[in-house]
Amino acid sequence: MSSIALSDFEVYCPVCTSCLADDPDGCPECLSPRPSAGWEDLQTASYAYLGRELDGRYVVDRFVGAGTTGDVYRGTGTRIQRPFALKVVDTQRYGRKELEDEMVRRLELEVEAMSRLRNPHVINVYESFKVRDHVFVIVMDFVEGVTLQERLDRTGRLEFEEAIEIVRQAANGLHEAHQRGIIHRDMKPENIMVEQMPASGVFARILDFGIAYMVDSVRQTSGFRGTPLYASPEQCTSNGEIDARSDVYSLGCVLFHCLTGRPPYQSERSLAVMEAHIEAEVPSIFDLISREQAPESLDTLVRRMLAKNAQDRPQDCGEVVRALDALGLNTRSSISEAERQAVPVGAEPTETEAPSSSTLDGLDAGEIGAPPMARQRVVHLVASLELPERIKTAAKSITASALGPGGDYAVIADREEQVHLVGLKTDLQTMSFGGAEGMNTAVAISPSRGEVYAGGFACKVLRWNLDLTVGLPRRVVDVGDRIFSLDIDEQGTRLAIGTERGRALLYDSRTERTIEVHQASSPISAVRFVPKTGQLFVACWEGQMKTLDIASRKELRVLEPLSSAPIASTCGLHGDIAAVVEESGELRVVSLTDPSAFLRIEASFANLKALSFGNDGNLNGLGISADRLQLWLIRHEHVVQHLAEKSSVVS
């Protein structure tokens, strides 16, 4: 029997559950400041194994979450200094002998299933051991990433190129499992981990084979196994035969969710969802997105994967991989041809002069001094739509705007004390929210929580839930100062607030505390969380730009100042670049790691009011005119190229 012992840790962070050495001022992992009452004592922690040493070989230093069959912790090896995922399974958790026997059976099944797989797209299992008679530990790879569900919570939906790549990799891993007689039976976004690799893009891995079905050894199980939103028709019937095509269906549900932002069937009642899987018409992705956002062949594949009769689906995941491979190649070819020939619909021709060594007038730099007509436009118009009828009358009095991830939607505030959510690349119906207090000069949206925030001259931040378009908003915090800028972090738990008096504030909804991170000499009209860094990006009316360390509240870098006041900003998803629209209409893209590298683009013709980077690295801009909303795009490769060529863009 293995042992459980105390480690050298004594306290932990109540926000992210990471164990802490000594008594730091801030948590090094989530950057939360030390609570006024001090860090939490591990001796009173509700996480049974947090801070414990298991078998003398693994020190448990963070609670990760609950899986299908047990709680998952992060542990560091004492002999091999690297992190592992430790799934701790207490077979007596339900207090019933028959369930305890079932838990032991499923535990043994999961270890056997996953230890037989050697596919790079399946989480590796290294060993299992007991720490008590009824408590087992499974040692697995610890992946520094997020689940696909967390990614979707943050972005709403994925661009189709990224969606097919993630699902193709998951299908690759499933195919090997199926060849070895293992059916997963619970394919869902929560069971796909996604890492962002430095050079090769996304990398997906399947986890949690806790309810796997072994074809050769287990012919029958009792009761429903799976997650209703992604369950196959066979799983939803009492006598359904389960084979590899059941996982194909569930993976089709995942692909549908990635492309549209929601599963194919939804209801508050699980039984209604299961009935829909059995009887309802197979939906099309084009019921929820426009035909310009994905090829017809992808919709055909999704509908095949979601066929009610297993005979009508791809017969194995290998067929899915081949179909997605072919679709990806064909799509890249057709997109390349279209880019060579396309002229943006509704784009107004703009006369520009040849760029100087420090400014790009909306054009690709090429060779300095080359004739303007020989170059391609950097700023592309990709969508132009009429303002929805309900906000046309308020168009001239729009006071604030924000752009959702990838430019899918916009949030707009007006002088009528209303906030509107408008679809740009989706068929999202315009949603309007009332009850705002005074004029709002800053708005933000949390895709992960489905919430819209606004603040302004009333000095308060208000919050609306996207599920409730009636009723008054909830007052989040009163900062006692006019609010000029807002941002919310990826988890939807912390607000960054820029004020008229030059204060950069951080509000944490978990502790309901507000701290001042920085004091500037002029109003802060742009404040943004810098992803993956624990930093804030701030820009002031007088043009100063800098980055701040949240935990220490210290200034890190002073960037090249703007020539006029900032009116919109955003930060790249990797935390390496920021983009700012100036009052003059110029667009500035700056490196956050090399203050000497920046790109200036003349974009006044686009009338940009909000910016957002997409998962693909492209920069999206929202333009607002008298009666239209326009979505503009600057491709990632153009930004990277010109920032690298500092000699052509540095003034």
Side-chain angles (χ1 to χ4, degrees):
M1 183 73 61
S2 301
S3 63
I4 303 174
L6 295 175
S7 69
D8 293 334
F9 291 119
E10 296 182 354
V11 296
Y12 72 98
C13 172
V15 177
C16 69
T17 74
S18 297
C19 293
L20 303 172
D22 303 321
D23 188 24
D25 292 335
C27 174
E29 295 219 26
C30 73
L31 307 176
S32 296
R34 180 176 55 206
S36 56
W39 301 109
E40 296 288 333
D41 189 340
L42 278 168
Q43 298 301 317
T44 60
S46 58
Y47 310 101
Y49 298 93
L50 188 63
R52 300 299 191 264
E53 185 177 275
L54 305 181
D55 196 34
R57 294 183 295 137
Y58 302 99
V59 176
V60 179
D61 55 19
R62 197 178 91 194
F63 176 77
V64 176
T68 303
T69 51
D71 293 335
V72 181
Y73 294 85
R74 183 184 67 188
T76 301
T78 58
R79 300 172 188 173
I80 303 176
Q81 289 293 312
R82 53 163 286 195
F84 294 89
L86 307 176
K87 177 182 276 192
V88 180
V89 183
D90 185 347
T91 59
Q92 292 184 350
R93 64 193 299 181
Y94 298 112
R96 292 167 54 187
K97 184 64 169 67
E98 64 275 19
L99 291 181
E100 180 180 347
D101 294 342
E102 170 70 2
M103 290 278 287
V104 172
R105 186 190 70 80
R106 285 167 61 182
L107 172 69
E108 293 171 346
L109 194 63
E110 178 172 9
V111 174
E112 180 184 358
M114 296 187 73
S115 63
R116 286 166 59 179
L117 301 178
R118 287 295 178 265
N119 190 284
H121 297 296
V122 176
I123 296 290
N124 287 323
V125 167
Y126 295 101
E127 65 171 325
S128 64
F129 54 86
K130 278 186 178 182
V131 290
R132 292 195 176 105
D133 284 339
H134 53 88
V135 178
F136 297 78
V137 178
I138 305 175
V139 182
M140 301 176 287
D141 277 329
F142 181 80
V143 179
E144 289 284 0
V146 298
T147 68
L148 179 55
Q149 183 63 58
E150 290 172 321
R151 199 178 184 101
L152 289 167
D153 286 344
R154 187 172 70 236
T155 63
R157 53 176 290 274
L158 306 181
E159 296 297 329
F160 82 87
E161 297 95 339
E162 184 178 36
I164 63 175
E165 181 59 26
I166 289 173
V167 172
R168 186 192 70 80
Q169 294 179 26
N172 185 305
L174 280 176
H175 186 52
E176 180 178 328
H178 294 162
Q179 289 180 315
R180 296 178 180 273
I182 304 166
I183 314 302
H184 191 286
R185 295 206 304 171
D186 198 21
M187 282 308 305
K188 57 185 178 180
E190 289 177 355
N191 281 339
I192 300 175
M193 290 292 296
V194 180
E195 285 185 279
Q196 191 71 43
M197 310 303 286
S200 57
V202 294
F203 195 86
R205 300 189 195 186
I206 302 169
L207 51 88
D208 207 345
F209 277 75
I211 60 171
Y213 177 89
M214 303 286 288
V215 173
D216 295 334
S217 60
V218 182
R219 289 291 177 185
Q220 192 71 34
T221 57
S222 58
F224 173 78
R225 294 283 187 266
T227 301
L229 287 174
Y230 307 93
S232 68
E234 306 92 274
Q235 289 176 280
C236 298
T237 57
S238 58
N239 57 353
E241 289 290 328
I242 305 296
D243 60 24
R245 294 169 298 183
S246 176
D247 281 349
V248 168
Y249 182 96
S250 298
L251 198 59
C253 293
V254 171
L255 181 53
F256 187 98
H257 189 166
C258 289
L259 294 166
T260 68
R262 48 157 283 187
Y265 306 109
Q266 287 185 307
S267 173
E268 294 181 356
R269 297 186 302 113
S270 296
L271 184 59
V273 175
M274 295 168 71
E275 290 172 347
H277 283 300
I278 298 169
E279 301 173 353
E281 181 181 351
V282 177
S284 164
I285 62 174
F286 298 129
D287 294 338
L288 296 167
I289 64 174
S290 69
R291 293 183 182 274
E292 288 73 31
Q293 292 177 269
E296 292 278 353
S297 53
L298 181 54
D299 183 56
T300 301
L301 175 61
V302 173
R303 290 169 65 86
R304 280 187 63 211
M305 295 174 73
L306 295 180
K308 305 299 181 187
N309 189 331
Q311 293 289 345
D312 298 330
R313 299 174 205 151
Q315 294 302 288
D316 58 44
C317 279
E319 186 177 341
V320 174
V321 171
R322 291 189 293 273
L324 290 173
D325 279 341
L327 193 150
L329 288 172
N330 292 338
T331 300
R332 283 190 288 272
S333 175
S334 62
I335 286 176
S336 177
E337 179 64 24
E339 285 178 341
R340 285 194 293 270
Q341 300 180 7
V343 176
V345 176
E348 295 294 331
T350 304
E351 293 186 4
T352 56
E353 298 179 358
S356 69
S357 62
S358 61
T359 304
L360 295 173
D361 295 330
L363 299 175
D364 199 350
E367 294 182 5
I368 299 302
M373 294 303 291
R375 309 185 195 113
Q376 289 182 315
R377 183 179 294 282
V378 168
V379 184
H380 297 272
L381 179 65
V382 295
S384 180
L385 63 151
E386 195 171 354
L387 273 170
E389 197 66 36
R390 70 176 67 180
I391 59 176
K392 265 189 178 180
T393 56
K396 294 182 179 180
S397 60
I398 289 175
T399 58
S401 58
L403 192 58
D408 281 358
Y409 50 83
V411 182
I412 297 170
D414 61 41
R415 291 182 185 273
E416 307 298 320
E417 299 187 2
Q418 286 192 316
V419 176
H420 312 275
L421 182 67
V422 184
L424 299 176
K425 292 164 63 177
T426 69
D427 295 329
L428 174 71
Q429 295 295 311
T430 299
M431 304 169 68
S432 297
F433 307 88
E437 301 180 26
M439 185 169 74
N440 286 297
T441 49
V443 289
I445 187 166
S446 170
S448 63
R449 291 179 175 256
E451 295 170 340
V452 172
Y453 294 80
F457 284 11
C459 307
K460 305 176 184 68
V461 177
L462 305 177
R463 183 183 70 210
W464 292 263
N465 190 298
L466 295 181
D467 294 330
L468 301 172
T469 56
V470 296
L472 296 176
R474 178 177 176 181
R475 185 178 298 176
V476 179
V477 62
D478 187 334
V479 300
D481 195 355
R482 286 183 175 182
I483 296 169
F484 280 9
S485 56
L486 272 179
D487 193 25
I488 190 161
D489 67 2
E490 293 179 353
Q491 293 74 35
T493 57
R494 296 187 299 173
L495 282 169
I497 305 167
T499 76
E500 183 181 32
R501 297 176 189 163
R503 295 189 298 155
L505 307 174
L506 195 68
Y507 171 79
D508 194 321
S509 62
R510 297 161 298 190
T511 61
E512 297 187 346
R513 291 183 60 206
T514 303
I515 61 171
E516 183 175 298
V517 181
H518 181 67
Q519 176 66 63
S521 59
S522 65
I524 294 178
S525 50
V527 59
R528 289 288 178 266
F529 287 100
V530 182
K532 306 182 186 302
T533 65
Q535 299 173 17
L536 280 183
F537 167 81
V538 299
C540 307
W541 265 12
E542 293 179 352
Q544 304 100 327
M545 295 191 296
K546 58 188 69 174
T547 56
L548 312 168
D549 180 70
I550 295 175
S552 66
R553 310 180 201 178
K554 292 181 179 178
E555 190 176 288
L556 294 177
R557 288 185 179 88
V558 176
L559 307 171
E560 185 74 18
L562 302 169
S563 56
S564 59
I567 61 173
S569 66
T570 187
C571 288
L573 299 184
H574 299 295
D576 54 347
I577 55 177
V580 182
V581 176
E582 299 188 47
E583 198 171 36
S584 64
E586 186 172 273
L587 175 62
R588 184 82 65 97
V589 183
V590 300
S591 168
L592 297 180
T593 57
D594 181 357
S596 66
F598 63 90
L599 169 65
R600 293 164 56 188
I601 302 172
E602 169 49 48
S604 58
F605 58 86
N607 199 27
L608 298 176
K609 301 298 182 184
L611 299 171
S612 171
F613 278 101
N615 286 328
D616 52 9
N618 291 337
L619 175 60
N620 301 275
L622 174 69
I624 302 178
S625 62
D627 60 353
R628 301 192 74 78
L629 296 176
Q630 294 180 324
L631 184 64
W632 298 84
L633 175 74
I634 300 175
R635 296 196 177 280
H636 174 67
E637 56 266 28
H638 290 147
V639 172
V640 172
Q641 172 190 342
H642 297 310
L643 284 179
E645 298 170 358
K646 287 187 285 187
S647 61
S648 67
V649 298
V650 174
S651 53

